[in-house]
Amino acid sequence: MNREDGETDRRRRFGVLCESLRPDLLRFAFWLGRDRQLAEDVVQEAMLRAWKSFDALEDEERAKPWFLTIVRREFARSFERKRLPLADLDLLVTTEAEVLAAEDDEQLAAMRQALFRLDDEYREPLVLQVMMGYSTKEIAAMMGLQQGAVLTRLFRARARLRQELGLAPEPAP
Amino acid sequence: MMNCLDFRRQVGAEPAAGGPEFDAHRRECAACARHQDELRALDGLIARALAVDPARIRRPAAGAGGGPATRRRYFAIAASIVVGLSVGLVLLVSAPRASIAREVVDHVVHEPGTMNLLVPVAAGALAGVLDPEGTRLRPGIGDVTFAARCVHQGHVVPHLVVRMPEGAVTVLLLRHREIDEPVQIAEQGLEGVVFPAPRGSIAIVGQGLKDPARVAQKVFEAVDWGV
């Protein structure tokens, strides 16, 4: 394969990965930051960084966690760079109402709002577990936490959601 | 042997937890089994809730760049570029704008075969390329003989070739590239312009076009941005 063919192949492979992963990366970035514009910006920048370091990805089977790590880092960079202010939660819910809406499904809409209102430290591991399908061990590695801490956060996340949705509290053993 | 407290601590964090110990406790304690089933159902609802439509995330918030005022602004830009290019005005090109022109030229030059195709692409294929951007091409502009989503500077962008009466024209929708003013392209035999667009920018280039400014305006007006 000559140099030009190699470059074409590299672009094709990257393009295929981007297309397949982009929807989940966008969803992840949205639930991380609770802001669609920020989500879009973060994913765009992350894609550019990923392209520049694509040769560092040794195993394309591991592309998803690799991209997620880049998105998380880009998100942290955005916060640092832009010094994003702490947003009023009610205002966020209103601003992002279009994304949170679930036509004809009140329970779904209520769950979206409850997830939106979860503290960052509970929401992120829950998204990684339920939406992305990662184990608690993998989540701990991604977030730089002990596995026990991840388990605690996931437990509390679900307890908060049950409370927010007015579900029966956990039955006493 | 697992007790109820341990069981509920674990399934509270991992509702899908299973295995011999869990199964044994479920058989012994109907309340715990019911609790795990409720948590699994809750996770089903959480998963559905998290699976928001990416198109909704990509759509700009109301008042953040859409609406009739935005459309008028972009048509005004399109009209002004016709005048500017027609009288040979050279736009002051700062380093960032020069780079966007070069990036577009490099992309087109790198894929020369796309300009020589003659068979129109199927409507479904075109939709597959444009739908993720929330855009479409209004009919009547010409046959689209090439449509693909290509990697461009680390981003996946729609790349079209439209066969117009004036000649074959390459169109790149560069959502990731915001520019404030149009940038003229005139290098390596390619002529055209990069316009600001409701989402990012749009590059329109061709070879040997008689009236590149007019062609660029027609293409720009043919894109339905969905705003």
Side-chain angles (χ1 to χ4, degrees), chain B residues 200-218:
Chain B
S201 55
I202 175 172
I204 302 160
V205 290
Q207 276 178 308
L209 300 173
K210 279 189 189 156
D211 189 347
R214 188 80 216 141
V215 168
Q217 184 180 11
K218 283 168 77 174

Side-chain angles (χ1 to χ4, degrees), chain A residues 15-109:
Chain A
V16 166
L17 278 175
C18 282
E19 288 294 90
S20 66
L21 294 175
R22 193 185 166 90
D24 270 351
L25 294 177
L26 209 50
R27 288 186 189 107
F28 176 68
F30 173 73
W31 285 112
L32 211 59
R34 297 181 292 192
D35 181 316
R36 74 184 98 172
Q37 189 62 62
L38 180 63
E40 180 94 60
D41 290 348
V42 162
V43 170
Q44 296 281 33
E45 281 301 317
M47 291 287 188
L48 186 55
R49 285 186 188 273
W51 170 243
K52 286 176 180 172
S53 57
F54 189 45
D55 293 335
L57 177 61
E58 290 171 352
D59 178 7
E60 286 178 27
E61 298 287 311
R62 300 286 304 156
K64 192 167 183 178
W66 184 71
F67 269 96
L68 276 175
T69 301
I70 296 173
V71 167
R72 290 188 78 246
R73 284 189 193 146
E74 192 51 45
F75 191 78
R77 238 182 244 114
S78 288
F79 254 92
E80 227 172 285
R81 199 169 52 231
K82 295 178 186 175
R83 303 213 182 279
L84 296 168
L86 291 171
D88 177 78
L89 208 42
D90 289 330
L91 181 61
L92 274 178
V93 169
T94 305
T95 308
E96 304 301 335
E98 193 188 333
V99 184
L100 300 177
E103 290 79 17
D104 302 326
D105 195 332
E106 281 183 26
Q107 196 184 32
L108 193 66

Side-chain angles (χ1 to χ4, degrees), chain A residues 11 15 19 26-27 31 36 40 44 48 51 98 101 103 105 111-112 129 136 151 155 158 170-173, chain B residues 4 8 12-15 35 43 46 48-50 52 54 56-59 149 151 153-156 175:
Chain A
R11 286 183 182 221
E19 288 294 90
L26 209 50
R27 288 186 189 107
W31 285 112
R36 74 184 98 172
E40 180 94 60
Q44 296 281 33
L48 186 55
W51 170 243
E98 193 188 333
E103 290 79 17
D105 195 332
M111 176 56 88
R112 282 195 175 140
Q129 184 189 50
T136 51
L151 287 165
F155 182 93
R158 287 185 174 85
E170 184 188 328
Chain B
C4 292
R8 288 178 192 180
E14 298 177 290
H35 180 60
D43 263 23
I46 293 171
R48 284 173 55 220
L50 291 173
V52 292
R56 286 195 182 179
I57 299 171
R58 298 179 81 169
R59 196 173 304 140
R149 292 178 65 77
V151 175
Q153 300 296 307
H155 297 270
V156 179
R175 168 193 281 270

Side-chain angles (χ1 to χ4, degrees), chain A residues 105-150:
Chain A
D105 195 332
E106 281 183 26
Q107 196 184 32
L108 193 66
M111 176 56 88
R112 282 195 175 140
Q113 291 217 8
L115 284 162
F116 211 67
R117 291 179 184 279
L118 266 185
D119 291 344
D120 295 347
E121 61 180 334
Y122 301 138
R123 194 174 62 257
E124 186 180 355
L126 192 65
V127 170
L128 286 170
Q129 184 189 50
V130 177
M131 191 173 84
M132 297 297 196
Y134 290 110
S135 68
T136 51
K137 188 175 173 186
E138 288 168 326
I139 294 168
M142 289 173 76
M143 293 183 68
L145 296 171
Q146 297 291 319
Q147 192 173 357
V150 172

